[in-house]
């Protein structure tokens, strides 16, 4: 992997709690945030991206999802499909979900945790592919992997992280452009 | 947020090569100490160690970066076992009871097995007579909240001379600002370890 450069969003929006852009380019959400949208993080400068996120104190939620967005609007169509691997103690499960309206980034439960996410070619007019790893922590430690493909060959410049139900009291995310 | 000499050097290097400043920066430990034969800091940040049972690597987590990548290569003369980690501050490891929550996935040949661990340390790698390489994402060790890890370990199993893939997901729930780690295993461990800061100000 070549070097990586943190990309500061051109703007953000959130629902629930509060969110802000840090001086180091990271975006932090606190106080019961349910969604955070990052605009202007994907561009022609980089083909591929690496995202890290730390979550803590999730209330009423289980799965952290994400959608691609363009010019400030999420793609909410059923254009997302992914496969996951979940390891919980001695149980190992896999499942494929097709024609969904979002990707799954992490299974957080109500725990402390963190995850990383490689996103390939979101800004190119090609299908966007992702692969994520997730460490779910404090009560029931779990390891999760997700890989998925977005069916539309369109260009996206942003991303929205959200819980369908639930909220977080702490969410710190960085988007890195991966140098070729 | 202050810049370390290592970070300034990396940024200068990036400019001089015509590249954008990289936010993947090799961290130079402030010190290392071992139980065993020896360890030293070489090449601006790489730590090499020989026939040890434990090593403290201090001063690699700072306010300059939120997240880190640790690359460990290790082997031993005989046998195989796990390699463990604890987070440390000013050379003192945190080993609170049940403060490290870990999930393991091990794959060898056609078999997958899962297991979890709730202990005063996290298991994040394996070691045998063939060199083990472990790539670990470490999230927020210097932030004043929990620290999470995701590790991918490849090892040659000495009993069947076959590759072995192991993954670990761990969370240390004691919120504090850690600046280093203690890595430990059975006596006789030799190898190298490096820490890269990722994210942060460029």
């Amino acid at each position: 992997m070549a070097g990586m450069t943190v990309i500061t969003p051109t703007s953000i929006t959130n629902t629930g709690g509060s969110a802000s852009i840090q001086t180091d380019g990271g975006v932090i959400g606190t106080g019961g945030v349910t969604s955070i949208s990052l605009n202007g993080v994907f561009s022609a400068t980089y083909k591929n991206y690496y995202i890290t996120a730390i979550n803590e104190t999730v209330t009423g939620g289980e799965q952290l999802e994400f959608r691609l967005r363009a010019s400030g609007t999420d793609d909410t169509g059923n254009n997302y499909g992914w496969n996951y691997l979940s390891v919980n103690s001695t149980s190992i499960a896999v499942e494929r979900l097709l024609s969904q309206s979002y990707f799954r980034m992490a299974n957080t439960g109500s725990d402390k945790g963190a995850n990383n996410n490689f996103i390939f070619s979101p800004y190119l007019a090609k299908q966007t592919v992702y692969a994520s790893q997730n460490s779910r922590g404090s009560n029931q430690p779990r390891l999760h992997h997700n890989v998925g493909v977005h069916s539309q060959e369109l260009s996206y410049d942003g991303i929205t992280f959200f819980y369908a139900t639930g909220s977080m009291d702490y969410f710190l995310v960085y988007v890195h452009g991966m140098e070729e | 947020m202050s810049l370390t000499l290592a970070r300034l050097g990396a940024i200068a290097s990036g400019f001089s090569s015509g590249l954008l400043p990289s936010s993947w920066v090799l961290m130079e430990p402030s010190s290392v100490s071992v139980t065993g034969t020896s360890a030293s800091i070489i090449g601006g940040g790489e730590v090499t160690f020989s026939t040890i049972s434990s090593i403290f690597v201090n001063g690699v987590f700072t306010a300059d970066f939120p997240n880190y990548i640790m690359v460990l290569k290790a082997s031993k003369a005989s046998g195989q076992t796990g390699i463990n980690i604890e987070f440390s501050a000013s050379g003192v490891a945190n080993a609170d009871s049940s403060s490290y929550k870990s999930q393991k996935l091990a794959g060898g040949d056609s078999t997958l097995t899962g297991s979890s661990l709730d202990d005063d340390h996290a298991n994040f790698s394996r070691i045998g007579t063939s060199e083990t390489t472990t790539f670990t994402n470490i999230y927020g060790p210097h932030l004043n909240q929990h620290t999470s890890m995701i590790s991918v370990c490849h090892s040659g199993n000495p009993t069947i001379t076959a590759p072995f893939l192991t993954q670990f997901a761990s969370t240390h729930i004691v919120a504090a600002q850690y600046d280093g780690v203690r890595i430990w295993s059975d006596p006789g461990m030799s190898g190298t370890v490096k820490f890269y800061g990722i994210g942060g100000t460029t």
Side-chain angles (χ1 to χ4, degrees):
Chain A
M1 187 189 304
M4 298 182 292
T5 297
V6 172
I7 298 171
T8 302
T10 55
S11 64
I12 63 171
T13 59
N14 66 286
T15 59
S18 61
S20 60
I21 302 173
Q22 300 188 146
T23 55
D24 63 1
V27 174
I28 187 166
T30 56
V33 64
T34 56
S35 75
I36 298 181
S37 298
L38 280 57
N39 301 313
V41 287
F42 306 139
S43 72
T45 303
Y46 302 101
K47 292 179 182 174
N48 305 315
Y49 298 84
Y50 178 71
I51 297 174
T52 61
I54 301 170
N55 60 270
E56 192 163 312
T57 316
V58 178
T59 302
E62 183 79 10
Q63 318 287 0
L64 176 62
E65 327 283 15
F66 74 96
R67 288 182 172 127
L68 300 170
R69 62 196 270 116
S71 302
T73 301
D74 285 359
D75 175 10
T76 58
N78 293 327
N79 301 318
Y80 304 78
W82 77 90
N83 207 116
Y84 76 78
L85 165 67
S86 171
V87 189
N88 178 12
S89 189
T90 59
S91 298
I92 301 171
V94 294
E95 186 177 8
R96 177 182 296 126
L97 296 103
L98 302 173
S99 299
Q100 304 293 303
S101 63
Y102 50 80
F103 283 136
R104 178 148 303 151
M105 185 162 177
N107 179 315
T108 63
S110 60
D111 287 342
K112 304 169 176 25
N115 55 83
N116 63 59
N117 193 352
F118 289 95
I119 299 186
F120 302 97
S121 66
Y123 194 77
L124 302 180
K126 298 177 179 296
Q127 291 183 330
T128 299
V129 177
Y130 87 105
S132 70
Q133 294 178 303
N134 163 215
S135 174
R136 165 179 164 164
S138 56
N139 297 318
Q140 292 181 312
R142 296 184 192 179
L143 170 66
H144 289 266
H145 288 271
N146 302 285
V147 294
V149 180
H150 187 264
S151 62
Q152 302 299 295
E153 295 185 344
L154 297 173
S155 175
Y156 299 95
D157 63 3
I159 188 168
T160 294
F161 305 98
F162 70 100
Y163 281 92
T165 60
S167 63
M168 288 177 288
D169 277 349
Y170 183 92
F171 184 65
L172 177 61
V173 61
Y174 290 83
V175 179
H176 308 76
M178 295 171 58
E179 293 161 14
E180 297 293 318
Chain B
M1 183 178 290
S2 61
L3 290 171
T4 63
L5 288 175
R7 180 143 180 74
L8 284 170
I11 292 171
S13 174
F15 279 126
S16 65
S17 65
L19 300 174
L20 291 170
S22 171
S23 55
W24 185 344
V25 177
L26 180 62
M27 306 301 292
E28 183 166 7
S30 58
S31 64
V32 296
S33 64
V34 299
T35 301
T37 300
S38 65
S40 60
I41 303 167
I42 60 173
E46 182 175 31
V47 176
T48 180
F49 51 86
S50 177
T51 56
I52 65 166
S53 59
S54 74
I55 181 169
F56 276 95
V57 184
N58 304 312
V60 287
F61 307 137
T62 73
D64 289 343
F65 299 93
N67 304 311
Y68 297 83
I69 290 171
M70 174 175 64
V71 181
L72 173 74
K73 294 186 176 184
S75 63
K76 63 199 298 270
S78 62
Q80 63 168 327
T81 188
I83 306 177
N84 306 305
I85 190 169
E86 297 156 0
F87 290 97
S88 62
S90 302
V92 178
N94 182 283
D96 288 1
S97 176
S98 298
S99 66
Y100 294 84
K101 319 287 186 178
S102 304
Q103 176 65 54
K104 175 182 174 183
L105 172 67
D109 198 2
S110 60
T111 303
L112 280 177
T113 56
S115 60
S116 59
L117 182 69
D118 185 356
D119 214 328
D120 58 5
H121 62 273
N123 185 215
F124 79 103
S125 179
R126 294 182 61 76
I127 188 170
T129 54
S130 300
E131 185 176 74
T132 296
T133 301
T134 305
F135 188 90
T136 302
N137 291 269
I138 302 175
Y139 302 92
H142 201 71
L143 303 177
N144 195 21
Q145 38 86 43
H146 77 276
T147 301
S148 289
M149 297 189 298
I150 299 173
S151 299
V152 179
C153 168
H154 169 274
S155 61
N157 184 321
T159 60
I160 56 174
T161 61
F164 199 95
L165 175 66
T166 313
Q167 299 192 13
F168 303 86
S170 304
T171 297
H172 179 43
I173 63 172
V174 178
Q177 292 182 310
Y178 300 101
D179 64 16
V181 297
R182 175 184 180 240
I183 297 169
W184 57 277
S185 184
D186 291 345
M189 180 167 59
S190 298
T192 62
V193 63
K194 292 184 283 190
F195 294 81
Y196 296 90
I198 61 172
T201 311
T202 58

